[in-house]
Amino acid sequence: MTTILVTGATGTLGRQVSDRLRTEGADVRGLSRRSPSYAVDLRDGKGLDAAVDGVDAIVHCASSPRGGDDRAAGFLIEAARRAGVPHLVYISIVGVDRVPLGYYTLKHQVERMIEDSGVGATIQRTTQFHDLVLSVVSGAAKLPVLPVPAGVSVQPVDSGEVADRLAALALGAPAGRVPDLGGPEVRKFTDLAGAYLRATGRRRRVVPVRLAGKAYAAYRSGGHLSPEHAVGTVTFEEFLARLHRRTG
């Protein structure tokens, strides 16, 4: 039986990756700070050696927008080296090399760390998840008007489709950086905000807001998009409808 360690196993993506791998017959070790079996805090790496011992692959889904991804990856890479783990799969973001945002910069740094580690690796970049777009627009909708970044388009992808891809990659051989996985449509942020309002029956005026800075300029120029890899199939409206059915 193939044994695979999934970091961030309680998160939106890691939980689904774990489920997909179990369906394929893999023995999954779910690593997170709250895991009953593999409670490891990647910020200090304690307990990692036991968690990676004997695994055939690692799927690294754990990440924090508050920083520290490079430090966590360093601990994980060293533990993988010591244990002789043959395959490390890493989920990254389209545009980490084009959008000068701190979180993206760290993700790109982790990519380079993994590529230089000597560990067999696969790196998968994806566009933003539907869940992230929902979080942005639902939070903004708490205001009297719904502000969105002016001139910015998004190509949201379903996290379940990303989980399918990562599980398949983990069960295969190291492949280096593989083609991007983008959502099915490039949509203006204003359109997605409107879709959210229609789906929830809320009434707000969508207000495009111009922002400052190099990161915003990179978003406006589409540095986070991958229209040539629009291989996802679930649209934002379909995601919202499915969420509505699930929550009643």
Side-chain angles (χ1 to χ4, degrees), residues 32-217:
S32 73
R33 292 194 298 272
R34 296 178 296 277
S35 170
S37 303
Y38 297 97
V40 175
D41 189 337
L42 286 173
R43 292 173 297 185
D44 60 29
K46 294 179 180 177
L48 261 179
D49 285 334
V52 303
D53 183 46
V55 304
D56 299 292
I58 298 169
V59 184
H60 186 28
C61 297
S63 184
S64 173
R66 294 185 295 275
D69 277 11
D70 53 340
R71 180 176 174 82
F75 287 129
L76 187 63
I77 289 167
E78 288 305 316
R81 279 177 177 157
R82 288 193 294 270
V85 177
H87 193 187
L88 173 58
V89 180
Y90 180 57
I91 175 68
S92 189
I93 307 170
V94 170
V96 291
D97 53 346
R98 299 192 295 262
V99 178
L101 192 69
Y103 180 55
Y104 279 36
T105 300
L106 272 184
K107 296 287 282 188
H108 193 210
Q109 181 178 336
V110 172
E111 285 187 3
R112 294 194 299 267
M113 290 170 63
I114 291 172
E115 289 169 341
D116 295 339
S117 68
V119 177
T122 301
I123 295 173
Q124 174 71 72
R125 291 182 183 177
T126 75
T127 53
Q128 288 72 29
F129 292 176
H130 290 311
D131 309 77
L132 176 61
V133 176
L134 174 61
S135 176
V136 172
V137 296
S138 62
K142 295 176 182 178
L143 300 172
V145 296
L146 200 166
V148 296
V152 174
S153 294
V154 192
Q155 189 183 351
V157 67
D158 186 70
S159 60
E161 293 184 304
V162 176
D164 290 340
R165 174 71 67 84
L166 291 180
L169 291 171
L171 292 168
R177 185 179 159 202
V178 295
D180 297 342
L181 173 55
E185 302 174 317
V186 175
R187 302 274 299 277
K188 293 180 179 179
F189 225 119
T190 50
D191 292 344
L192 296 174
Y196 167 77
L197 292 173
R198 290 190 296 274
T200 57
R202 307 184 73 173
R203 297 178 63 86
R204 294 286 189 278
R205 184 165 65 94
V206 178
V207 179
V209 178
R210 291 189 65 87
L211 304 173
K214 293 180 179 179
Y216 173 59

